[in-house]
Structures are given as structure tokens and as C-alpha cells.
Amino acid sequence: MKKFLSLFCLFAMLTAFTCENEPLDDGINTTNPGNTNSALIGTWSLTDFDVTLGSTTSFNGESFISDIEIQSTTENYVLNLTSSNFTTNGSYSYDTNIVVNGETFSSEPYTLENVSGSGSYFTNGNEMTIDGSFFEFEFEGSEETSLGGEQTVTFSISPDGQILTFTQDETTSQTDPTTGTVTTSTTNSISKWEKQ
């Protein structure tokens, strides 16, 4: 079970990159799909990330419920956005707490150093589609770097143009046609960045 939770946590963290519901700023282009917003271009320093992941798996009348909470504790990490590409580098630390069927498991704090990555992106209104991953994560000795494929997140920029926030609030449900197992997953996450 511990290995399953570790893998679930890694998968969810690599796909989660999010923000809170803030009004769109004047710098965000909402009328030209595929246009990259000039307000995004530049170097952004991570100030905080917080992710809550939930999973309920039901099979033959039994339910397996887990919640994972991941919160940054120290940040020395930057995101550089050009008109269509990004790079990341630096280090950060985070804590993870897991609740499985009402029982809480806390992990040791994790620190990742010399993290770097790259990829491409485009925007459509206040949504950003990313090909690559902004973060790496490690959990119980297992390290993951990035997941392939596109991810879509919502973003907002503060009225003064200095704070960039990504959010993801998503619920998905899948049914295994062979076993009838139903899995419902929720992701609520936020990351905040300050312009350098």
C-alpha cells in the first residue's frame, strides 16, 4: 500500500501545478486563442506551492480512500518563461502528509537540489497548456523528473504584474471495464511565483 501511495503522490504532483481564483489582469490576452501573453514573459521565483490530492477507489462494495497533502517549506527555484518555452532551475523542500481510510502517515521533509527542466507552452485566455513539467519530486527514495504529454492549468497575474499564480481544480473518474473498479481522483493545487 505504501508503494501505491508513493506512486500516486508522484504522479499527482508531477501533473499538478495550480493557482487560486483571482480576476484576470489586464495583461492576460483572452481574445486570441494560442497567443502567448507578454505579461508572462520573464523570470519568476517560486514563493509557495500547496497540493491536495484525493482518491476514492470502490470495488465490490469496499472503498479505499486516500488524501495526500503536499506543502512547500523552502523555495529557491525559478521559472523562466519566453514567448513559447520555459526553463526551471534551483531547489525546494516540501512536507507530505497522507491520510488513508482515516489513518494519518507523515513523511520526513524532502529537499531537492539542482533541479532543472525545460519544455514548451501556449496560452488560450487564462489557460496554459504545458508540454513538460515545472517540478521534480521524490517520495520515499523514489525520484521522478517529468511526465510526457500536455497538461492544462489556469493562471492569473496580480494587478501590479508581480505575482503569477497557477491553479488546478480537477475531478476525474474511471471505471475498469474488466474488474468494475471505480476510481475517482481530485486535485486541488496552487503555486505562486514572484517576478524577478
Side-chain angles (χ1 to χ4, degrees):
M1 178 171 82
K2 212 173 203 184
K3 191 169 190 174
F4 168 76
L5 291 174
S6 298
L7 294 174
F8 176 73
C9 178
L10 287 171
F11 174 77
M13 282 300 296
L14 291 171
T15 58
F17 192 76
T18 65
C19 107
E20 63 193 21
N21 293 329
E22 293 180 14
L24 294 179
D25 180 62
D26 292 340
I28 298 176
N29 182 330
T30 60
T31 61
N32 189 1
N35 184 43
T36 299
N37 292 286
S38 61
L40 291 169
I41 296 172
T43 302
W44 301 87
S45 296
L46 179 66
T47 61
D48 170 69
F49 66 79
D50 191 358
V51 181
T52 302
L53 309 166
S55 177
T56 303
T57 303
S58 301
F59 178 70
N60 286 339
E62 297 291 324
S63 291
F64 175 77
I65 301 169
S66 66
D67 291 304
I68 301 170
E69 296 175 357
I70 304 159
Q71 186 170 29
S72 64
T73 55
T74 59
E75 305 83 12
N76 184 16
Y77 194 63
V78 295
L79 168 66
N80 185 24
L81 295 168
T82 66
S83 60
S84 61
N85 295 301
F86 71 87
T87 58
T88 59
N89 64 68
S91 62
Y92 46 87
S93 301
Y94 55 93
D95 288 329
T96 304
N97 291 307
I98 302 169
V99 180
V100 179
N101 289 338
E103 188 175 348
T104 302
F105 303 90
S106 294
S107 71
E108 295 294 318
Y110 290 91
T111 299
L112 296 181
E113 298 181 3
N114 300 317
V115 178
S116 63
S118 62
S120 60
Y121 77 96
F122 66 88
T123 62
N124 183 0
N126 69 331
E127 290 187 343
M128 178 184 286
T129 301
I130 304 157
D131 189 4
S133 179
F134 290 148
F135 292 102
E136 290 181 7
F137 288 94
E138 182 176 305
F139 189 72
E140 295 186 358
S142 177
E143 186 174 324
E144 295 290 330
T145 52
S146 66
L147 293 178
E150 293 183 346
Q151 308 167 50
T152 300
V153 297
T154 302
F155 70 92
S156 64
I157 300 174
S158 64
D160 65 1
Q162 296 302 300
I163 304 296
L164 171 62
T165 307
F166 292 95
T167 59
Q168 185 177 23
D169 296 313
E170 186 174 80
T171 300
T172 60
S173 187
Q174 293 181 320
T175 302
D176 184 320
T178 307
T179 63
T181 302
V182 178
T183 302
T184 302
S185 301
T186 59
T187 302
N188 302 98
S189 61
I190 181 170
S191 66
K192 293 184 179 182
W193 307 75
E194 185 173 5
K195 195 154 199 175
Q196 288 189 350

